[in-house]
Amino acid sequence: MTMKSDTKFGTICYGIDIGGTAIKAGIFDMSKKLCRRFEFPTNRKDNGGHILQDIADFVAAQNVRLGYKAQDIAGIGLGVPGSVMADGTVNKCVNLGWGVINSGKILSEMTGIPVYTGNDANMAALGEYCEAEEKAGSMIFITLGTGVGGGIIIDGKPITGANGAAAEIGHIPIVHDETEECTCGKKGCLEQAASADGVVRTAVRILKEYGNTSSLKSYDVLSAKIIFDEAKKGDKAALQTVDTVADYLGKGLACAACIADPGLIVIGGGMSAAGEFLLERIRQSYRMNVFHPCKDTPITAAKLGNDAGMYGAAQLVINSCS
Amino acid sequence: MTMKSDTKFGTICYGIDIGGTAIKAGIFDMSKKLCRRFEFPTNRKDNGGHILQDIADFVAAQNVRLGYKAQDIAGIGLGVPGSVMADGTVNKCVNLGWGVINSGKILSEMTGIPVYTGNDANMAALGEYCEAEEKAGSMIFITLGTGVGGGIIIDGKPITGANGAAAEIGHIPIVHDETEECTCGKKGCLEQAASADGVVRTAVRILKEYGNTSSLKSYDVLSAKIIFDEAKKGDKAALQTVDTVADYLGKGLACAACIADPGLIVIGGGMSAAGEFLLERIRQSYRMNVFHPCKDTPITAAKLGNDAGMYGAAQLVINSCS
């Protein structure tokens, strides 16, 4: 059986996720099957002024190589690492060097193909939402990596927010006794305690109570991975760090659930590699802190890894065509 | 010029807000002009088993009195004080004595009129949203009364949540050193510090630091109103109470904004009568605690008072007909 081609909307779409280091690009059919996957470096020279042309050149080259005509392409989904307004305007991408631009409009003019733009974390959320077994209608997605980011899905669609800042779970005020400033300028953000750097910060503070009894003391440079590995081996300071971080994360997710009451919570990002060891601790704290009707909301691990944004960007095109 | 009647949907609708003490009912035209307003006691006997029949009888009597036929009525909007699922199922109303019932379906069978059901705070949110000068697309509404409730509007529509528990701002974990239990069973909910009772609790704790120097000591029984009034007159303990409460409220709204990033925040409920004196303090705390893109989100006072739920219920009918 062959897929019936959709002459109105095209038969394939591009899902493109612009990261600070690399651009991930997938060619998908309209049932979101990944046909081809590419990755090329993000050129951040000249305030990221070459990025969109690089993408346009890539798309043109692939179209020629694979024999696609304009009418074959349903659209390009574009995930960008910054706030994206409902009209597609990107409200600065510090990581790329971009100011306020409508990247979708520019890329569409360059390629002649409709472009659908979203925040990268929202795109990853949408990608993971579509992979989840439970089709809950709504979902909160949290990424634990260099920062703590997130995306929120309501009625199956990512929510942008009035300022392109919905689901900024990492900046919920949660650490009441924090004395240092977050990168955002506030004090006590979830990210300060629970990002990869935050885990190390938390460990360094806890280690002060442990003298030289912790195995963590034998490392010149700590990382979140080392701390999780030592905690799994039973080191008490590392365990206390993981418990503390999980407590903050559960509390942050409880705050989020008291507002959005999602049908599903998905945890992704590099730190989610710690698996059930971390997840079960987060669930415990979540249940302690959340309003009772939301106590049984499933908290699961993300499935798409670093490709979630690319899948979600493709989904944005597919959603727009249905 | 006369309003053109909409023969498809009817020309009027009922907006009904079921409270624990009284039922407020309005007859509205389809431009949401309030034509008649009624109020009658909530009969909570027999686990609230008479309430829906009372409403059906009221609607039938008004229809006869005013000469409305079934086809004139576009629908009944019903706000209930409990969690309401997307399909209209009410997931318990402790205040009314209700278990899990589909009140809309029952009332519709009694009256022969379509019924649209929502949580009372969501209905109030929708009512206030439609009154707001800024049509922001999204809004968070918080009511400061016996409890701290809320509603959330996204894309112009109230959000139910997967468990009918969206916008339960009162149960965000916010008071880190709370030792007593909230009515919900958790410790440290915003409601414990910032509801009308919460304000009194906060004052009682603060008064311990003030000996007999505070004017609040002259009252046998404290109330939120007394505390706000004495704070406005300059009593230091009362002022510290208001500052503490506003700090928690600003922080709670900052949590909410980090998740939903609404275009507008509206504060209602009995305590909002304290006016700019309270609002300006909440704004200060909000700006301190929120992620920077959301710093300028307007925080304004509600306009419809106790009628907000009734207006919102009518709006739910009007939305369903457009």
Side-chain angles (χ1 to χ4, degrees):
Chain A
M1 196 177 89
T2 51
M3 283 286 294
K4 189 183 161 195
S5 76
D6 185 336
T7 49
K8 187 176 170 202
F9 288 125
T11 53
I12 64 126
C13 64
Y14 284 83
I16 295 179
D17 183 21
I18 308 179
T21 313
I23 294 167
K24 296 185 193 72
I27 301 178
F28 295 83
D29 71 17
M30 297 307 279
S31 66
K32 216 180 53 173
K33 188 180 151 231
L34 178 63
C35 307
R36 286 164 194 267
R37 186 189 183 287
F38 306 86
E39 197 164 331
F40 50 96
T42 306
N43 181 354
R44 288 158 65 183
K45 278 184 203 156
D46 305 323
N47 286 324
H50 306 282
I51 293 172
L52 294 173
Q53 190 61 57
D54 285 355
I55 294 172
D57 292 348
F58 160 79
V59 168
Q62 292 308 318
N63 286 352
V64 168
R65 194 165 77 94
L66 301 167
Y68 294 133
K69 293 184 182 128
Q71 64 266 33
D72 297 324
I73 320 289
I76 299 170
L78 193 66
V80 300
S83 301
V84 180
M85 313 300 283
D87 71 349
T89 304
V90 179
N91 193 8
K92 293 185 188 172
C93 285
V94 180
N95 289 346
L96 304 181
W98 289 1
V100 178
I101 61 167
N102 194 321
S103 53
K105 198 170 166 221
I106 296 168
L107 185 60
S108 184
E109 284 166 3
M110 287 173 169
T111 57
I113 298 169
V115 178
Y116 305 88
T117 313
N119 166 269
D120 57 352
N122 277 341
M123 293 304 91
L126 182 58
E128 291 290 350
Y129 175 74
C130 294
E131 286 301 306
E133 280 160 33
E134 313 213 17
K135 285 288 166 288
S138 56
M139 185 187 91
I140 283 181
F141 174 65
I142 182 170
T143 49
L144 308 176
T146 315
V148 172
I152 181 169
I153 305 288
I154 305 252
D155 286 340
K157 290 180 294 188
I159 297 303
T160 306
N163 305 288
E168 285 288 1
I169 303 175
H171 297 283
I172 287 181
I174 213 102
V175 189
H176 68 89
D177 56 358
E178 180 60 64
T179 53
E180 293 173 27
E181 273 190 8
C182 178
T183 50
C184 78
K186 295 197 298 157
K187 283 178 186 168
C189 293
L190 177 59
E191 182 165 297
Q192 285 183 278
S195 65
D197 284 353
V199 172
V200 174
R201 289 176 74 243
T202 304
V204 167
R205 291 178 183 192
I206 284 170
L207 276 171
K208 287 180 187 158
E209 302 163 25
Y210 279 84
N212 285 319
T213 61
S214 167
S215 59
L216 295 179
K217 287 278 186 183
S218 61
Y219 294 90
D220 290 334
V221 180
L222 283 177
S223 70
K225 185 174 184 314
I226 290 169
I227 293 161
F228 280 106
D229 287 346
E230 292 297 333
K232 284 177 181 173
K233 288 185 210 158
D235 181 79
K236 282 186 183 169
L239 262 174
Q240 190 180 327
T241 303
V242 175
D243 286 343
T244 304
V245 168
D247 184 53
Y248 284 131
L249 284 168
K251 202 174 269 183
L253 289 171
C255 287
C258 286
I259 300 305
D261 182 15
L264 178 65
I265 295 171
V266 173
I267 299 183
M271 260 168 60
S272 68
E276 280 298 309
F277 184 74
L278 175 61
L279 253 62
E280 190 46 36
R281 285 170 165 81
I282 294 174
R283 286 186 198 109
Q284 278 176 26
S285 163
Y286 171 80
R287 284 191 211 108
M288 288 268 295
N289 285 292
V290 81
F291 193 42
H292 58 84
C294 312
K295 268 195 168 42
D296 296 328
T297 303
I299 299 183
T300 64
K303 294 179 180 167
L304 293 170
N306 289 330
D307 285 348
M310 196 178 76
Y311 273 84
Q315 188 67 45
L316 198 65
V317 179
I318 294 166
N319 285 358
S320 302
C321 295
S322 60
Chain B
M1 197 177 90
T2 52
M3 283 285 294
K4 191 183 162 195
S5 77
D6 185 338
T7 49
K8 185 175 171 203
F9 289 124
T11 53
I12 65 127
C13 63
Y14 285 82
I16 295 179
D17 183 22
I18 309 180
T21 314
I23 293 167
K24 296 184 193 76
I27 301 178
F28 294 82
D29 70 18
M30 297 307 278
S31 65
K32 216 179 55 174
K33 189 180 150 225
L34 179 63
C35 306
R36 285 163 196 269
R37 186 188 185 286
F38 306 86
E39 196 163 333
F40 50 96
T42 306
N43 182 353
R44 288 159 64 182
K45 278 185 203 156
D46 305 322
N47 286 325
H50 306 281
I51 292 173
L52 293 173
Q53 191 60 58
D54 286 355
I55 293 172
D57 292 347
F58 160 79
V59 168
Q62 292 309 318
N63 285 351
V64 168
R65 193 165 77 94
L66 301 167
Y68 294 133
K69 293 183 185 130
Q71 64 266 33
D72 297 323
I73 320 289
I76 299 171
L78 194 66
V80 301
S83 300
V84 180
M85 313 300 282
D87 71 350
T89 304
V90 179
N91 193 8
K92 294 184 188 172
C93 285
V94 180
N95 290 346
L96 305 181
W98 289 2
V100 178
I101 61 167
N102 194 320
S103 53
K105 197 169 166 222
I106 297 169
L107 185 61
S108 184
E109 284 165 5
M110 286 172 169
T111 57
I113 299 169
V115 178
Y116 305 87
T117 313
N119 165 268
D120 58 352
N122 277 342
M123 293 303 91
L126 183 58
E128 292 290 351
Y129 175 73
C130 295
E131 286 302 306
E133 279 161 33
E134 313 214 15
K135 285 288 167 288
S138 56
M139 184 186 91
I140 283 181
F141 174 64
I142 182 169
T143 48
L144 308 177
T146 315
V148 172
I152 180 168
I153 306 287
I154 305 251
D155 286 340
K157 290 180 296 191
I159 297 303
T160 306
N163 305 287
E168 285 288 0
I169 303 175
H171 296 283
I172 287 181
I174 212 104
V175 188
H176 69 91
D177 56 357
E178 180 60 63
T179 53
E180 293 173 27
E181 273 189 7
C182 179
T183 51
C184 77
K186 295 197 299 157
K187 284 178 186 166
C189 293
L190 178 59
E191 181 164 299
Q192 286 184 277
S195 66
D197 283 353
V199 172
V200 174
R201 289 177 75 245
T202 304
V204 168
R205 291 178 183 192
I206 284 171
L207 276 171
K208 287 178 186 159
E209 303 164 24
Y210 279 84
N212 285 319
T213 60
S214 167
S215 58
L216 295 178
K217 289 278 187 182
S218 62
Y219 293 91
D220 291 333
V221 180
L222 282 177
S223 69
K225 185 176 185 313
I226 289 170
I227 293 161
F228 281 107
D229 287 347
E230 291 297 334
K232 285 178 181 173
K233 287 185 210 158
D235 181 79
K236 282 186 183 172
L239 261 173
Q240 190 180 328
T241 304
V242 174
D243 285 343
T244 303
V245 167
D247 184 51
Y248 285 130
L249 284 168
K251 204 175 268 184
L253 289 171
C255 287
C258 285
I259 301 306
D261 182 14
L264 177 67
I265 295 171
V266 173
I267 299 183
M271 260 169 59
S272 68
E276 280 297 310
F277 184 73
L278 175 61
L279 253 62
E280 189 47 34
R281 284 171 166 79
I282 294 174
R283 284 187 200 111
Q284 278 176 25
S285 163
Y286 171 80
R287 284 190 213 111
M288 287 269 295
N289 285 293
V290 82
F291 192 42
H292 58 85
C294 313
K295 268 195 168 40
D296 295 328
T297 303
I299 299 182
T300 63
K303 293 179 179 169
L304 293 169
N306 289 330
D307 285 348
M310 195 178 79
Y311 273 84
Q315 187 67 44
L316 199 64
V317 180
I318 294 167
N319 285 357
S320 302
C321 295
S322 59

